[in-house]
Amino acid sequence: MTAVLERPAQAGPTGPATKARRLARRVAGPWTYAALIAVLAGSAFPVYWSFVVSSQTPDAIDSVPPVLVPGGNLFANIARVFDTTDFALALLNSIVVSGTVTVSVVLFSTLAGFAFAKLKFRGRNVLLLLIIGTQAIPTELGIIPLYMMMAEFGWAGEIHAVIVPGLVTAFGVFFMRQYFERAIPDELLEAGRMDGCHSLRLFWHVALPAARPAAAVLGLFTFMQAWNDFFWPLVVLTPENPTVQTALSTLASGYTTDYTLVLTAATIGTVPVLAVFLLFGRQIVGGIMSGAVKG
């Protein structure tokens, strides 16, 4: 009997990135790229047009056909923004509020999400349902008691009143809980406990590194929400201590509105959000792709 030896097939890379590239090659076609380009152009055009108007004179907003080429008045309009309102303080306040809220939400949501997903304690499911149930309560319903609480603390008109209510969110806790439920096997944690690791050490050395993609996504969403928040800062802050959004409302108020001035301020206010996305974009895309090819 002659034994026939077959050469084993060479195994190629089978990582998540390779799977994503193979899927893209199978699906992507000319119409796909055309649709993506159209969506990109439609999404980027408002930002571009705001930049164009902010670099023109005030009468450019009414020109027909509309102006589509940047002008030479950008720096003069930026100077007018800072002369008209205390926009530097508004930028500083928004950066402090958004940065503090983002770090706090990511930290506490990661801790709580790990606890709900991987630690066994009495009343865990009931407490999780109560946290999720708070999302069904409209924000406007709690504005009056929340303002009364801030006034009782002496924080009305201060930046603390915007920061403290947003230090942790139900969405962040639920988001991180769902991520930990799938991303970390229980066997890995049990092996760590057998090696003498307590829960906090397991969180720091095992859970936290695994949560970086999800934490980046949550951080971006939280930063954008805190940066764009308008209603609560308008209620609790004074015009002398504004955020970017309340400063924009001040510029847009009055009998006549200088839209060139407003769009210049809006363009300035967009820069920090774009900077955050560019800084954490790789982590965000990595987290989305790992979730897309998982399983």
Side-chain angles (χ1 to χ4, degrees):
M1 181 179 296
T2 304
V4 179
L5 298 178
E6 297 181 356
R7 179 178 297 177
Q10 294 182 356
T14 59
T18 304
K19 293 180 181 179
R21 285 194 294 269
R22 290 176 180 173
L23 181 63
R25 282 197 295 267
R26 289 200 301 267
V27 176
W31 291 107
T32 303
Y33 288 110
L36 290 175
I37 291 173
V39 171
L40 177 62
S43 302
F45 180 76
V47 179
Y48 173 75
W49 193 74
S50 298
F51 171 76
V52 169
V53 174
S54 64
S55 63
Q56 299 286 343
T57 55
D59 56 351
I61 195 71
D62 298 323
S63 62
V64 179
V67 179
L68 297 178
V69 179
N73 294 331
L74 177 62
F75 294 104
N77 290 331
I78 291 176
R80 283 204 304 135
V81 168
F82 286 95
D83 290 338
T84 305
T85 185
D86 197 351
F87 207 72
L89 178 61
L91 283 172
L92 178 61
N93 285 341
S94 288
I95 291 173
V96 171
V97 169
S98 302
T100 305
V101 169
T102 299
V103 172
S104 174
V105 167
V106 171
L107 175 62
F108 289 125
S109 297
T110 305
L111 283 167
F114 175 73
F116 280 118
K118 297 301 178 181
L119 301 182
K120 309 297 182 183
F121 55 91
R122 183 177 299 178
R124 180 181 64 170
N125 294 332
V126 175
L127 185 57
L128 180 61
L129 288 175
L130 290 175
I131 292 175
I132 297 174
T134 59
Q135 293 185 284
I137 302 175
T139 304
E140 292 78 8
L141 192 63
I143 287 295
I144 294 177
L146 186 59
Y147 182 84
M148 294 174 63
M149 186 182 299
M150 295 299 107
E152 186 69 22
F153 292 159
W155 291 351
E158 300 294 333
I159 208 69
H160 323 320
V162 182
I163 295 175
V164 173
L167 290 179
V168 66
T169 62
F171 170 77
V173 173
F174 179 72
F175 178 80
M176 296 306 299
R177 186 261 181 191
Q178 294 299 103
Y179 182 83
F180 280 127
E181 191 72 30
R182 296 177 300 170
I184 301 178
D186 294 335
E187 293 78 7
L188 181 61
L189 299 179
E190 291 299 330
R193 290 190 178 95
M194 291 179 63
D195 290 338
C197 291
H198 50 77
S199 297
L200 187 59
R201 190 173 180 184
L202 285 174
F203 170 79
W204 185 259
H205 291 286
V206 178
L208 198 57
R212 286 176 58 188
V217 175
L218 178 61
L220 176 65
F221 288 161
T222 304
F223 186 90
M224 291 178 60
Q225 182 180 4
W227 186 270
N228 295 324
D229 190 16
F230 170 70
F231 185 52
W232 176 238
L234 180 66
V235 171
V236 77
L237 295 180
T238 61
E240 291 75 22
N241 192 26
T243 60
V244 167
Q245 307 306 323
T246 56
L248 287 174
S249 69
T250 302
L251 289 174
S253 62
Y255 293 105
T256 59
T257 301
D258 187 346
Y259 288 103
T260 301
L261 200 65
V262 175
L263 289 176
T264 302
T267 302
I268 299 172
T270 307
V271 172
V273 179
L274 295 178
V276 170
F277 181 80
L278 292 176
L279 185 62
F280 296 102
R282 181 175 298 180
Q283 290 288 337
I284 294 166
V285 174
I288 295 173
M289 292 303 298
S290 65
V293 301
K294 201 173 184 65

